[in-house]
Amino acid sequence: MVQISANPLLEPAHLAKIEDLHLLARVVVEGNFSGIHRSRRQGQGNEFFQYRSYEPGEDLKNVDWKVFAKLKDLVSKTYQESTNANLIVVLDASASMAYKGAGSPCTKFRYAQMLASCLIYLGYRQGDRIGLFGGSENSQQWISPSAGAESFKKVLYSIGGMKPEGKDLGDMAWTKFKSKLPKQATVVVISDFLEKETQLSDRLSFAHSTRYQSICLQVMDPLEEVLPEGDAIQFVELEGVEELSVSPDRIRSAYQTEMQQYLGELSTLIAGTGSEFYTLLTNQDIGFGIRQFLGMQRSVK
């Protein structure tokens, strides 16, 4: 059972100040979660994991004799092997993800970026092959799933280099992505899901197969659910050019009703593809998203 430590280090306001995504992910995962499975096997041909104290009766071939010569202490090498599982994160970097409401700790994209980094770190520590599909319509990233430290660094570097701009990943990009999926994988889609929701059935069609698991994590700003307070508000189409000024008090009730209806329909639509779905707010600690991922994750064959 995974235990979550009540720790302010999980709060987005704190984490958003850490520019190094590798450090951020390590602080969150190693510092706040326990009981997470790490696939280990002793022997050569796997990636070195760590040293540990030698246990009496253990095969002496695992002892690091160079360390013994220097420190006169028996220690064994342990290695991390791949579990042959594929973990692919799909990260939405469209313009709508740049939104940050008044009082919010970070933009939706920064929150998604931090969450994606933590999930990738989890996969890496579990020995999974990790991959990335993300960006926007005009700038796409595709990194095929691969195990090991170099792949981990490459994926984190790509996540860190993304900027939210333009329209979302288009249908052609999704078609290409699905054609390149490995024979089995867990696919985690991190997005606000505020554009082209009617096309999700086709984009997530791979989830109908038992060889794949699809987990959709929606990231929203708290003010997107309720509308901000004030005398007037200007709506700007982040992925277009339209603008509209209105009085929020006059439309707040109708807006909230429409938003709740939309989220309900979106949840039903995604469930119909065979995908899991959960909504996260940018003022919630990153642990909420990690908990949902761990709770939903299953073995994919």
Side-chain angles (χ1 to χ4, degrees):
M1 180 178 181
V2 176
Q3 298 178 345
I4 307 297
S5 300
N7 193 321
L9 292 180
L10 287 170
E11 295 177 359
H14 172 80
L15 293 175
K17 299 176 183 177
I18 304 177
E19 294 185 4
D20 186 335
L21 291 177
H22 187 175
L23 174 61
L24 183 151
R26 184 162 59 86
V27 166
V28 171
V29 175
E30 301 292 348
N32 298 279
F33 289 77
S34 62
I36 295 176
H37 170 69
R38 291 174 181 166
S39 176
R40 303 179 193 174
R41 187 182 72 187
Q42 295 179 14
Q44 301 301 319
N46 294 284
E47 184 180 0
F48 174 73
F49 180 64
Q50 65 181 11
Y51 288 108
R52 61 169 175 77
S53 297
Y54 173 78
E55 298 178 0
E58 184 181 339
D59 194 332
L60 290 175
K61 71 179 182 180
N62 299 319
V63 173
D64 190 316
W65 296 108
K66 291 182 179 179
V67 172
F68 177 76
K70 293 181 180 180
L71 305 178
K72 304 303 179 184
D73 188 20
L74 287 174
V75 295
S76 296
K77 291 181 178 181
T78 61
Y79 295 85
Q80 178 173 299
E81 66 172 349
S82 171
T83 61
N84 294 320
N86 295 299
L87 173 65
I88 303 172
V89 170
V90 178
L91 182 58
D92 178 6
S94 59
S96 66
M97 293 291 287
Y99 179 72
K100 177 181 180 295
S104 297
C106 60
T107 66
K108 291 189 290 184
F109 182 72
R110 178 56 177 169
Y111 188 96
Q113 198 178 41
M114 295 189 294
L115 178 59
S117 300
C118 291
L119 298 186
I120 288 295
Y121 187 84
L122 276 173
Y124 165 63
R125 297 304 281 172
Q126 291 178 164
D128 296 340
R129 298 188 185 100
I130 51 178
L132 176 70
F133 171 55
S136 60
E137 191 175 47
N138 298 323
S139 178
Q140 291 126 34
Q141 297 276 354
W142 167 242
I143 299 176
S144 299
S146 181
E150 290 305 313
S151 177
F152 168 66
K153 292 176 183 178
K154 183 178 181 180
V155 171
L156 275 195
Y157 180 80
S158 295
I159 291 174
M162 289 186 187
K163 303 295 181 184
E165 57 185 2
K167 296 183 178 180
D168 77 342
L169 292 160
D171 292 338
M172 291 183 63
W174 272 95
T175 299
K176 187 176 181 180
F177 164 68
K178 289 190 293 182
S179 71
K180 292 186 176 182
L181 280 173
K183 293 182 178 180
Q184 58 79 26
T186 294
V187 180
V188 185
V189 184
I190 306 176
S191 172
D192 56 11
F193 294 99
L194 294 181
E195 186 185 14
K196 297 183 178 178
E197 63 276 6
T198 57
Q199 295 167 324
L200 283 175
S201 292
D202 180 64
R203 293 180 178 184
L204 300 176
S205 60
F206 63 88
H208 289 296
S209 170
T210 56
R211 294 185 292 112
Y212 301 106
Q213 181 183 22
S214 173
I215 299 174
C216 296
L217 299 177
Q218 182 184 39
V219 177
M220 292 187 65
D221 189 281
L223 290 184
E224 288 182 305
E225 290 191 323
V226 298
L227 281 186
E229 298 290 339
D231 296 330
I233 185 172
Q234 186 175 47
F235 288 94
V236 178
E237 186 183 5
L238 292 176
E239 297 176 17
V241 296
E242 298 296 327
E243 296 183 11
L244 176 66
S245 296
V246 297
S247 171
D249 290 336
R250 297 180 60 182
I251 68 168
R252 180 171 287 109
S253 178
Y255 175 89
Q256 292 176 3
T257 299
E258 290 289 333
M259 178 58 75
Q260 290 306 310
Q261 181 179 342
Y262 167 76
L263 292 177
E265 292 174 351
L266 178 65
S267 179
T268 300
L269 188 155
I270 290 178
T273 69
S275 303
E276 305 278 0
F277 178 71
Y278 190 79
T279 299
L280 298 161
L281 301 178
T282 58
N283 61 356
Q284 290 180 308
D285 70 50
I286 296 295
F288 281 99
I290 297 175
R291 257 181 295 193
Q292 291 305 311
F293 168 74
L294 292 172
M296 295 172 178
Q297 193 178 30
R298 59 175 170 80
S299 177
V300 180
K301 297 181 180 181

